[in-house]
Structure formats: structure tokens, C-alpha cells
Amino acid sequence: MDNESTYSGYSYKSSHSRSSRKHRERRDRHRSKNHDITNRGEKSVIIQAPGQQLLDTESTRGDDRDDNWGETTTVVTGTSVDSISNEDLTRISKDLEDSSPLECRRYISPALGAILGLLSLLTPLAFLALPQLLWRDTLDPCGTPCEGLYISLAFKLLILLISTWALFLRPPRATLPRFFVFRCLLLALVFLFVASYWLFYGVRVLEPRETDYRGIVGYAASLVDALLFIQYLALVLLEVRHLQPAFCLKVVRSTDGVSRFYNVGQLSIQRAAVWLLDQYYSDFPVYNPALLNLPKSILTKKMSAFKIYNLEEENGTNNSTGQSRAMIAAAARRRDNSHNEYYYEEAEVERRVRKRKARLVVAVEEAFTHIKRHQDEEMATSSPKHPRELMDPREAAQAIFAPMARAMQKYLRATRQQSYHSMESIINHLQFCITHNMTPKAFLERYLTAGPTVQYLDSSRGRQWTLVSEEPVTSSLRQGQVFCLRRLDFSLVVTVTPLPFLRLGEEFIDPKSHKFVLKLQSETSV
Amino acid sequence: MSFVPGQPVIAVVERIEIKKLRHGDNLILGFSIGGGIDQDPGQNPFSEDKTDKGIYVTRISQGGPADEAGLKMGDKIMQVNGWDMTVVTHDEARKKLTKKKEDVVRLLVTRKTLEEAVKHSKGKYPRP
């Protein structure tokens, strides 16, 4: 009944565990572990990362309550004990690639910006303080106007500080392949500004020991004004300019064709890519390689039937292209019923999934009726009769998990999702739902539909994506551009189209002009 | 057959007498009417003036009493048994035609060919 029997003909390569902690699960044909690692070229099964347990009905037949249910699987030995198979190697390298924990490159740009910002904030204070420290006696006394300037300077610096903190001191969410043009421009501008102000200050004030203190204070105030304007420029360039939508991006996932359309503003390709990936993680359903292909039983039937005999002279040239062409032509002409089988197989799978879903829903509903939130008032009435045992959510979840476990396993196997949900995660989710008074339907929402990828991520590791583009990635979006965002086993193909120019016209309707006539035309026989 | 509001309507009419036929429990005349002051006059295919809200004969069943009496499709009914039919609702017209106590209806109908016939014979438009 399940698909497993068809694939017993495959040869499985196997490996022993790198860490001796777990036995690997073998029986499944499913080739994916958490979300994005497959090894298409190898006919092998990719193994779990350590720390996750699997659901498996075949091995734990009777006892669903076994805590070590991932462990009672059989292991088929193929290679020798000491070797690490290819899949382990790729997985190790992939782990290294995937995680970008404490790379230094990530923090260079923010560090630079922070230094420059600090410098520019301290500069006006330095401008004010240096004359006072160095030649205080010879300074002109400066009364009320200076104090007014002090106050305005202080508030402007405060505002600058707060807005810098709010806008720019955020942890960076992505590293871009090329320089972020606007940010570099702004950093350069700030640097230039501050440097030229210092230059002027050094030449005109420090050297001749200028005595007009009010002028100096005014000079510092003008620097702060200029910094505020630069910050305004930064705000507009970095945050505001791309808010008005200008392009529509169509994103298609190359492996299963899931597509979405997004509206973005004027951005460079790399910034648009980062924004898109943010949307990808919460909009696209998770990539499940197990759901992709037509079952092999349908596809392989086509190629088996023909053999080519060469009836010409033996020393003639071996016309291999002619042979293959003839084979293809003959295969095309042959009556092809594979669509029929595909249709019936699809219908069968759908029916099976629906049956298991029905069983699951019933089991979960029943399980939830076993449990009830304890009200404190009841304690007084029921305590003399029979004290009920109070459980915390974890125990309650474990108690009601047992009757629904089998139905849940079968359903997850039918929808090929069992690699995404381990028993532990199901119990955690159940505990979560019980704590927040959710109904069985709310509990099941997570399993009935394939959620977005972000639901299955562990956010401790970064994600490595490659931007593939024919144009330099700092150029801005244009009509007709196509670029790809590639991961190891799938890619997102992005097409850019501009949003149409809208000509909005106006038509005024007088409210009194809504008049009606009857359109009846009855005909009566007499 | 246009009319000027406020002036009396002048038309050449034909007097047609139809005997109702007993068909089961009903007395039928054998034709269908359309029009009325509560209907949309623009949809009348038989009227010349599309603001004419009079009652028109839209269909005649073959061999029925109306057919035998000489009623034609497209006739405008001006009077039924003395009751005016030019300014009535559709339902009132139907009621006047289907009174159970009356066996026979006397219609005054007009059509374009009548006027033309009179014009031909007299040589000029009939005047009051």
C-alpha cells in the first residue's frame, strides 16, 4: 500500500554514523532532511543531523510510546566501517558553508560606519572644548548668544544621536556581494565633510589661536546642521526612495514551480535580492524534494521497448545520432498510456491522503476531549470526593499524544512531511497549543498545510545564497532583467517587469442623476 | 399613430368581435397582448412611435377565435367592450379581456394598413 515496496530495488549506499550516538534510518526513500540538502546524483539516503529523531512506523510497529523509537531501525551495511561516504563529506562541507556565525566580514561595514559616526558626533564637542582648554585666557567673553547656541547645539546633538541609533545601529541582516553603493557614498560624504571641517578648523582656528569664541561656537553649530542634513540624505537614499513601487518581480522556484509576484521600488539588484529573500522565507511553502517527481514506475516504461539493429555494412560509419533519433521517433509514435497511469496514481494518492487526514482529525479531536483546563474554583467542590491529579502542560501533552501518535505518523508519511516533524517537535507543539487553549483544528494547522520555510528554520545559522546575474549586481533594476538566486539544490528565477504607468481620469456623477425605468415587457395570453 | 398629449386621439379603427372559446375551465381568446403604461415602450416591435404605451397584439394562435375573427399580429387595441385600452396598465388590459362573465369581446383595433387604405380611398388624411 505504501510506496516503499516499489523502491526496494534501489541500491542504498550507507554509512556508519559519524558520531556513534544514533543509528541511521534506512528504509525511507525520502531523500531530504531538514529542508534543503539532497544528493541527486547519488542514489542514497541522506541522513539526519544529530539531535533529531524520526518518525517511523515500519520499525516501531506496536509500541508508539517508545521514546527511542528512532533507534529501533535496522542498519544495512554497504561500505566498510572506516570510510566516510560521499554524503557525509558533502554534508560536512555544507554545514561549514551554511553557517556563518562569527565571520569578521559581516561586521566590517557597520564597524566602519560606527567609527565614523562617533567621530562626527564628537567633533563639534571637540571644536568647542579645544579653545577652552588651550587658550582660555585670551578668548573673548561670550555671554547670552553663546549660551543660546550651546542649547541649540546640545539638542541637535541629542536628536542626531537618537536618530542615528534608531536608523543605523541595527544588526545587519545580509552581506551583499558588492559594495552597497549608497551606503558607501554616504560614508564617504560624511568622512569628507568632517575632514574638511577639521582642516579648516586646524588652519584657521588652532593655528592663529582665534579669539572670537562666538564664531567658533557658530562654526560647530553649522557642522551639526550639516550632519543633520547628511542624515536626512541618508534617510531618503537608504530608506525612503525605494518605498514607492516601480517594478513587479516574478519569482519562480525552479524545482517545483511555486511562483509569487512582488512589487518593489527603485533598488539595485542586490538589494532587491535581499528583500526578496526575506519575502521568500515567509511566503513560499517549504521546499520538499520528496514531492517532486513523477513516480519512476511511470517514467521508466517509456524507454525500455526498442532495440536498434544496424543492417548496413560493418565498415560504415556508426551512425549513433541516427540511431537515437530513430529510437526517439519510434518511442513517440508508440501509443503512450503513461498519462493514464499518472492520472490514476494521482487519484489514488489523493484518496489515501484524504483518508489518513480524516483519521488524524478524528483522533486529534478525540484526544483533546481527554483534557480540560483546571479551574481553581472547582477545587473546593471536588476535593473531598476524589482529588484529580494536576498536570503541567508538558505532562498533559504527553498524556494525550499517545492515542493520536499513530494516526499522525501515517498522515505525515502519506504527505511526505515526516522529515520535518519529529516526535519531540510534535509534543512541543501540542504542549504549546494546550497552554494557549487552542482547538484541535488550530493544533493541526501546522501539519495539514505545508508552511513557509521560516517555520522550519533554526535561526542560529545563516543562509548562503548565490546571486547569478548577467549584469553587475549594483546596477538598478530595469525592465526585462532576469537574475537567479541559487541555493545548492534549487534556485529562484526572478524576472523584472515595470509597473504600468497609470493614467487616472475623473468623472463626476451627480447624485440626482440616478434614475431608473422599468424594463418589463410582459406578454400575456388571453 | 402618434398622439399629442392633451388632444384627442384620432385613428382609423376596425371593429372586431371575438367569441370566447371554452377550453377546459377557461374561456380563451387565442391571442397574446403586450404593452401598457407600466411597461417599457421601447421594446415594442410593432409600434411606430416608440413612446406609445398602448396595448398591442403580439401573437395570434393559429385557428383560434381571434384568428378567425380577423385579428392580426401588431394590431393596437383601442377599446375592449367600451373600455379604453390606450392608457391602461398591462394587468388592467388583461382583466378587461378575460372577464369570466362575458362570452364575447368587441374590440376596436387599429393598424397602419387601415390608415393607408383610407388615405388611398379618400386621397387625403382623415380630418375631424
Side-chain angles (χ1 to χ4, degrees), chain A residues 182-365:
Chain A
F182 287 147
R183 200 186 288 165
C184 290
L185 194 71
L186 287 164
L187 285 179
L189 202 62
V190 170
F191 177 70
L192 221 65
F193 240 81
V194 175
S196 63
Y197 263 72
W198 268 111
L199 195 65
F200 187 80
Y201 187 76
V203 167
R204 291 285 186 205
V205 175
L206 285 182
E207 283 263 342
R209 300 210 161 203
E210 179 70 39
T211 57
D212 180 15
Y213 193 57
R214 193 184 173 292
I216 297 178
V217 177
Y219 183 66
S222 77
L223 174 63
V224 178
D225 286 340
L227 286 178
L228 274 174
F229 287 133
I230 291 187
Q231 192 167 68
Y232 162 74
L233 186 67
L235 191 63
V236 165
L237 280 182
L238 296 180
E239 309 278 335
V240 171
R241 180 173 178 256
H242 60 79
L243 288 181
Q244 184 183 42
F247 293 101
C248 183
L249 302 180
K250 174 174 181 179
V251 188
V252 183
R253 187 156 62 187
S254 66
T255 46
D256 50 3
V258 178
S259 70
R260 295 276 186 280
F261 287 83
Y262 296 112
N263 283 355
V264 295
Q266 298 272 1
L267 284 174
S268 61
I269 294 185
Q270 54 183 6
R271 282 176 80 194
V274 170
W275 187 85
L276 260 183
L277 287 178
D278 282 340
Q279 309 298 314
Y280 167 79
Y281 276 108
S282 55
D283 277 346
F284 275 64
V286 65
Y287 166 63
N288 194 348
L291 283 176
L292 283 179
N293 301 320
L294 291 182
K296 287 286 199 282
S297 58
I298 293 174
L299 286 179
T300 51
K301 275 199 183 169
K302 292 184 91 159
M303 292 305 172
S304 56
F306 293 106
K307 288 176 82 107
I308 301 277
Y309 293 100
N310 198 349
L311 296 179
E312 294 169 355
E313 306 169 359
E314 292 307 321
N315 53 359
T317 54
N318 192 5
N319 198 358
S320 59
T321 54
Q323 276 187 8
S324 49
R325 228 181 280 147
M327 199 146 138
I328 294 173
R333 253 179 265 130
R334 199 184 92 192
R335 185 184 159 83
D336 182 10
N337 274 338
S338 60
H339 59 275
N340 233 356
E341 298 162 22
Y342 177 58
Y343 168 71
Y344 283 116
E345 173 115 16
E346 281 268 304
E348 180 62 33
V349 164
E350 172 122 351
R351 196 183 65 90
R352 195 186 310 150
V353 165
R354 267 193 274 174
K355 207 158 67 159
R356 290 196 178 173
K357 175 179 165 182
R359 286 205 189 121
L360 174 67
V361 168
V362 165
V364 170
E365 298 253 357

Side-chain angles (χ1 to χ4, degrees), chain A residues 53-55 64-69 364 368 371 392-406 408-409 412 420-436 443-444 446-447:
Chain A
Q53 283 179 327
L54 270 186
L55 299 175
D64 287 332
R65 264 170 268 196
D66 188 6
D67 272 345
N68 298 326
W69 62 353
V364 170
F368 266 67
I371 214 163
D392 66 351
R394 179 89 190 160
E395 295 164 358
Q398 280 168 340
I400 63 174
F401 177 67
M404 70 165 89
R406 190 169 175 79
M408 174 71 83
Q409 281 170 18
L412 288 180
Y420 297 127
H421 303 288
S422 66
M423 184 171 92
E424 191 59 34
S425 76
I426 298 180
I427 294 191
N428 282 339
H429 185 59
L430 192 53
Q431 174 186 347
F432 173 78
C433 289
I434 291 179
T435 317
H436 295 275
F443 164 70
L444 279 176
R446 193 173 190 201
Y447 305 106

Side-chain angles (χ1 to χ4, degrees), chain A residues 518-524 526, chain B residues 30-33 39-40 90:
Chain A
L518 274 178
K519 272 183 74 69
L520 305 173
Q521 187 67 15
S522 15
E523 192 184 325
T524 326
V526 294
Chain B
F31 66 97
S32 300
I33 55 166
Q39 308 285 313
D40 180 11
H90 187 89

Side-chain angles (χ1 to χ4, degrees), chain B residues 17-60:
Chain B
E17 188 175 302
I18 310 179
K19 281 207 162 48
K20 290 192 189 178
L21 183 65
R22 181 156 289 276
H23 185 77
D25 208 16
N26 308 321
L27 287 168
I28 61 166
L29 285 165
F31 66 97
S32 300
I33 55 166
I37 54 175
D38 55 340
Q39 308 285 313
D40 180 11
Q43 297 201 11
N44 191 342
F46 306 110
S47 61
E48 275 183 22
D49 178 13
K50 290 304 175 192
T51 59
D52 185 6
K53 294 188 176 180
I55 305 288
Y56 282 77
V57 175
T58 55
R59 192 177 57 87
I60 307 218

Side-chain angles (χ1 to χ4, degrees), chain A residues 37-106:
Chain A
I37 301 181
T38 50
N39 235 339
R40 288 288 177 86
E42 319 258 321
K43 293 194 186 116
S44 58
V45 176
I46 301 292
I47 313 158
Q48 293 284 346
Q52 277 196 348
Q53 283 179 327
L54 270 186
L55 299 175
D56 189 61
T57 42
E58 307 298 324
S59 52
T60 66
R61 231 162 274 273
D63 193 357
D64 287 332
R65 264 170 268 196
D66 188 6
D67 272 345
N68 298 326
W69 62 353
E71 305 229 8
T72 55
T73 55
T74 56
V75 173
V76 174
T77 64
T79 58
S80 71
V81 186
D82 303 326
S83 66
I84 287 185
S85 78
N86 208 0
E87 51 202 46
D88 272 349
L89 274 177
T90 52
R91 191 168 42 83
I92 294 171
S93 63
K94 196 184 229 276
D95 276 358
L96 285 177
E97 275 171 16
D98 247 2
S99 64
S100 37
L102 288 173
E103 260 181 31
C104 295
R105 254 181 21 139
R106 221 192 212 184

